[in-house]
């Protein structure tokens, strides 16, 4: 193992940990946002559904970097609050991925056979119960693969946080490189780490699909 | 028990039901037949409020189905419905399918629900498949589970919408046997079906519908011996020719 | 002066995205076709390569070209173009591969049976049909490419995002600057989506027109 990597292993480890933390928090928040927005649009709640649609369109047309810079520079300036780079990143990643997730989840909800909903209603369940017990479980399990795909995207996105000096994997790697100047080695190493993490998430996704996919 | 009076329904300009009236007494088995598009399925879906209707009245045990203040979930808990395409919940096991409504509609405990579910699955002959997923069952087996699922709520009446139309011929009889047993046990039923042999055996009355209207409403023997309307005669002739 | 910055940034973004788009498409078609062949070597290589490229964040791609391969002395724009092209080509390859595999096998076989070489079969029969099917997916890859191009600002390419930062530093009207940047990208992406949408519509119309064409007179009278 090249000495540069070993000597700075604590930096890389700390960076990887931060990357995983940011990913985890953003995944959780983003999924929560995705489910809520998908439900609001699926149920066609007046006014709110339209606002959600605009939110999704906005996030899908915007580059992640710009959303990040917006959350770090522009929003605090407008609303006069202070934020750390870390939380600005988590916020921007969550709202960014939340929009994409909501689209996938919404298509999952819509793919549930309306006759199944009728069967649930016919047995005396209220519409809310049908949503909770039938539509949501089936809808979300149908779209596990695209959802995991978004999670993999998110893990890659976290590297962008390095631009505003968040000390995740990429950021720390660049700091180390600034000192020892071994860009080829360090960047290859970082690339491999991302590869491993992304593949691990994909493998997890495959297991999840095998275990939970709804067979019809 | 079920009282349908002058019910009309349309989708925009297209009339689906035109001035339909019929009654089902407690314990009666009424078979509804007719060509495709005659509105038979829509009519029974109006009975449990799955389809709205524009005029007329449907009373189930005295409760008006179309009234604004009617608690539809509570009403539907008393009327079971069996669908042509079974519609078992694919993400739940057979047992969970039969337990779901018991737990969430009738608020039974899990143990009680499980006991009832197993008893019903035994009654329809599928106890050993209790832990399988619906997709692993044949069509006939799925429909029998669907019937068990409906019975789990102890309904006062059952609506069956072409319960055997989606089945391969070899499986039709296993399902009809279950339905026949239910009828013999005194269940009030409205059955939409093409199975005239079954109707002859089990029905008390036969209703013939065409183009949204009720054209015949006669006791079984009268209907099969001498249907009054020409359309019904035509229909019977074609069906019985098979 | 401010307007010049915005305009030059916009132009740079358009240039970067256009060139990367062309390169990504060429490379992606090649790799995607390899991924769809029966020959084990090219297929395994293509699949592995796509997985590798897609699992590495674009930012790392950019840094690799800009820093790790600095001995090539490529200007920042070239580094960004190469990184963006290669990264996007992996996505194009996936779309192309799926498109080719989605074509009924009989099509290619029919071509070979007529005596066409494999390349001719690809060129005359497979690609034209695949192109029509994959246009919608390609459109989304392309609009993603435009958004991804914003990362070039990190390696000092003077695109929209870079100029936004500069403008913010000059004017301190942070909110307006970044709001405007968002709007610029939204406009650019929606223009491209609309153009591609028209392209998809035109190709659908032309393909249905072709399928309802009557056989030529000579064939009928033969």
């Amino acid at each position: 193992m090249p000495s540069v990597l070993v000597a700075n292993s604590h930096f890389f480890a700390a960076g990887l940990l931060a990357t995983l933390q940011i990913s985890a928090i953003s995944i959780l928040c983003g999924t929560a946002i995705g489910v809520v927005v998908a439900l609001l649009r699926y149920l066609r709640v007046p006014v709110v559904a339209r606002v959600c649609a605009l939110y999704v369109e906005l996030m899908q047309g915007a580059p992640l970097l710009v959303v990040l810079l917006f959350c770090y520079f522009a929003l605090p300036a407008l609303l006069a609050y202070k934020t750390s780079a870390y939380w600005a990143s988590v916020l921007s990643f969550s709202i960014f991925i939340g929009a994409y997730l909501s689209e996938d989840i919404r298509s999952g909800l819509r793919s549930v056979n309306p006759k199944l909903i009728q069967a649930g209603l016919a047995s005396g369940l209220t519409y809310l119960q049908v949503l909770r017990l039938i539509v949501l479980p089936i809808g979300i399990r149908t779209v596990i693969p695209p959802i995991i795909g978004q999670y993999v995207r998110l893990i890659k996105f976290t590297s962008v946080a390095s631009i505003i000096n968040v000390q995740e994997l990429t950021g720390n790697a660049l700091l180390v490189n600034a000192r020892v100047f071994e860009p080829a080695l360090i960047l290859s190493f970082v690339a491999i780490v991302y590869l491993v993490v992304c593949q691990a998430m994909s493998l997890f996704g495959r297991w999840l699909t095998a275990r939970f996919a709804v067979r019809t | 028990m079920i009282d349908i009076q002058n019910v009309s329904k349309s989708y925009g300009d297209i009339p689906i039901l035109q001035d339909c009236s019929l009654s089902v007494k407690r314990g009666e088995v009424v078979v509804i037949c007719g060509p495709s598009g005659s509105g038979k399925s829509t009519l029974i879906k109006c009975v449990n409020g799955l389809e709205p209707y524009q005029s007329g009245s449907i009373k189930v045990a005295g409760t008006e189905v179309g009234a604004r203040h009617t608690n539809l979930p509570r009403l539907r808990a008393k009327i079971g419905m069996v669908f042509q395409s079974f519609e078992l919940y694919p993400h739940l096991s057979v047992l969970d399918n039969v337990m779901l409504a018991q737990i969430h509609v009738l608020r039974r405990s899990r143990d009680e629900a499980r006991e009832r579910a197993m008893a019903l699955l035994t009654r329809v002959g599928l106890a050993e498949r209790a832990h399988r997923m619906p997709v692993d069952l044949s069509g006939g087996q799925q429909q029998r589970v669907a019937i068990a699922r409906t019975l789990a709520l102890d309904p006062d009446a059952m609506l069956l919408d072409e319960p055997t139309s989606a089945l391969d011929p070899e499986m039709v009889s296993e399902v009809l046997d279950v339905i026949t047993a239910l009828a013999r046990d005194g269940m009030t039923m409205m059955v939409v079906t093409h199975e005239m042999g079954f109707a002859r055996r089990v029905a008390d009355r036969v209703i013939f519908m065409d183009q949204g209207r009720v054209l015949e409403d006669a006791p079984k023997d009268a209907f099969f011996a001498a249907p009054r309307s020409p359309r019904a005669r035509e229909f019977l002739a074609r069906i019985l020719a098979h | 002066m401010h307007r010049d910055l915005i305009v030059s940034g916009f132009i740079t973004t358009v240039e970067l995205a256009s060139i990367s788009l062309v390169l990504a498409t060429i490379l992606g078609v090649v790799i995607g076709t390899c991924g769809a062949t029966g020959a084990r070597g090219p297929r395994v290589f293509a699949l592995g390569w796509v997985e590798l490229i897609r699992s590495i964040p674009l930012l790392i791609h950019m840094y690799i070209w800009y820093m790790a391969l600095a001995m090539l002395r490529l200007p920042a724009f070239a580094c960004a173009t190469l990184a963006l092209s290669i990264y996007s080509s992996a996505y194009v390859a996936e779309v192309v591969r799926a498109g080719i595999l989605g074509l009924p096998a009989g099509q290619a076989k029919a071509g070979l049976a007529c005596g066409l070489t494999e390349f001719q079969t690809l060129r005359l029969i497979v690609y034209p049909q695949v192109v029509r099917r994959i246009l919608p997916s390609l459109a989304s890859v392309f609009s993603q490419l435009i958004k991804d191009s914003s990362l070039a600002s990190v390696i000092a390419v003077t695109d929209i995002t870079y100029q936004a930062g500069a403008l913010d530093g000059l004017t301190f009207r942070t909110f307006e600057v970044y709001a405007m940047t968002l709007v610029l990208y939204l406009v650019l992406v929606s223009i491209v989506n609309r153009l591609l949408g028209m392209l998809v519509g035109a190709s659908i119309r032309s393909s249905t027109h072709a399928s309802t064409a009557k056989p030529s007179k000579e064939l009928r009278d033969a």
Side-chain angles (χ1 to χ4, degrees), chain A residues 35-148:
Chain A
V35 171
V36 169
V37 170
L39 274 173
L40 289 172
R41 291 185 71 188
Y42 177 72
L43 295 172
R44 294 183 221 259
V45 179
V47 179
V48 181
R50 196 78 192 84
V51 171
C52 289
L54 287 171
Y55 152 70
V56 170
E57 271 182 54
L58 180 67
M59 288 300 134
Q60 290 194 320
L64 175 67
L65 177 56
V66 178
V67 174
L68 175 64
L69 295 174
F70 193 85
C71 289
Y72 186 52
F73 292 125
L75 270 184
L78 180 72
L79 301 173
Y81 68 94
K82 282 197 197 318
T83 183
S84 68
Y86 186 93
W87 289 110
S89 309
V90 170
L91 175 68
S92 60
F93 297 158
S94 302
I95 64 174
F96 190 76
I97 208 80
Y100 287 88
L101 281 171
S102 80
E103 279 295 276
D104 289 327
I105 295 174
R106 192 169 77 105
S107 83
L109 293 176
R110 289 170 65 177
S111 77
V112 175
N113 191 345
K115 293 224 195 94
L116 273 176
I117 299 176
Q118 275 198 337
L121 290 172
S123 68
L125 295 167
T126 64
Y127 192 70
L128 237 62
Q129 284 175 316
V130 170
L131 259 184
R132 183 167 63 91
L133 299 166
I134 299 169
V135 178
L136 263 176
I138 298 180
I140 292 189
R141 283 156 74 165
T142 308
V143 290
I144 291 178
I147 289 180
I148 297 290

Side-chain angles (χ1 to χ4, degrees), chain C residues 25-45:
Chain C
T25 309
I26 297 174
L27 187 57
V29 168
V30 170
I31 304 264
T33 312
C34 288
T37 61
R40 204 147 172 276
R43 192 178 71 239
V44 168
F45 169 76

Side-chain angles (χ1 to χ4, degrees), chain B residues 4 17 20 22 32 39-47 209:
Chain B
I4 303 173
L17 297 173
C20 300
L22 70 99
I32 307 181
K40 334 185 275 291
S41 298
T42 314
L43 183 63
I44 64 168
K45 288 200 179 128
C46 288
V47 173
M209 282 182 73

